[in-house]
Amino acid sequence: MLLPILHLFNDGYLAAMPLILPFASEEFALSLGVVGLLGSLLSFSGIILAIPAGVTASKFGALRLLSIGVLFYSLGFLILGLSSGVITVVLAFIIASIAFGIFHPLAFSAVAKASQHSSIGRQMGVFAATGDIGRIAFAAAVTFIIGLTSWRFTSLLYAAAVAETVPE
């Protein structure tokens, strides 16, 4: 049951983090080019980190690495919420991109490995659906919470939420 929860957070955070950028960009005077670059950095890392993630997971275990990866999102949101300038905003997105880059190759493999042959389709479906639910719910919530509070508070709230959910 942990893998779907991790997928909920991974995909939810992937969708939510770029939505904070328009609010942060106003404070830090980020150009649209920088905003676009930071948003694409999250996806680009999936290309670069997939193979090293597999090698690392074979040494330390996929579930442990997946939990650490989702905690990287938490750290990214924490740094973003506490950022004092463009450098720390970029650092926050680099750290979050590590989380995204390692997640999907390891997670889908772990779900397949943990499933019995007769239930693999159902397990993959549940796993994929929780990611979609996270992507929709977290993205919808982020702008709503920002509207009620601030982008910094929202970022710190997202950082705390996953840190309290992922087991050690």
Side-chain angles (χ1 to χ4, degrees), residues 37-50 97 100-101:
L37 180 67
L38 290 173
S40 64
L41 178 66
L42 290 171
S43 299
F44 182 68
S45 65
I47 298 167
I48 296 171
L49 296 175
S97 74
F100 175 73

Side-chain angles (χ1 to χ4, degrees), residues 44-112:
F44 182 68
S45 65
I47 298 167
I48 296 171
L49 296 175
I51 292 173
V55 172
T56 306
S58 67
K59 287 180 123 179
F60 301 105
L63 195 55
R64 177 179 290 153
L65 193 57
L66 290 170
S67 295
I68 291 168
V70 173
L71 287 174
F72 266 67
Y73 270 122
S74 180
L75 182 60
F77 273 101
L78 177 65
I79 292 170
L80 183 60
L82 298 174
S83 60
S84 59
V86 176
I87 301 297
T88 50
V89 172
V90 171
L91 178 63
F93 272 78
I94 289 171
I95 289 171
S97 74
I98 293 168
F100 175 73
I102 65 172
F103 191 84
H104 283 101
L106 299 182
F108 277 99
S109 174
V111 169

Side-chain angles (χ1 to χ4, degrees), residues 1 5-6 18 23 27 34 47 50 54 56 61 71 73 88 96 100 106 112 116-117 120 130 133 135 150:
M1 187 60 189
I5 292 169
L6 292 174
F23 302 97
E27 182 175 326
V34 171
I47 298 167
T56 306
L71 287 174
Y73 270 122
T88 50
F100 175 73
L106 299 182
Q116 294 180 357
H117 181 72
I120 194 167
T130 57
I133 291 167
R135 191 173 12 262
S150 70

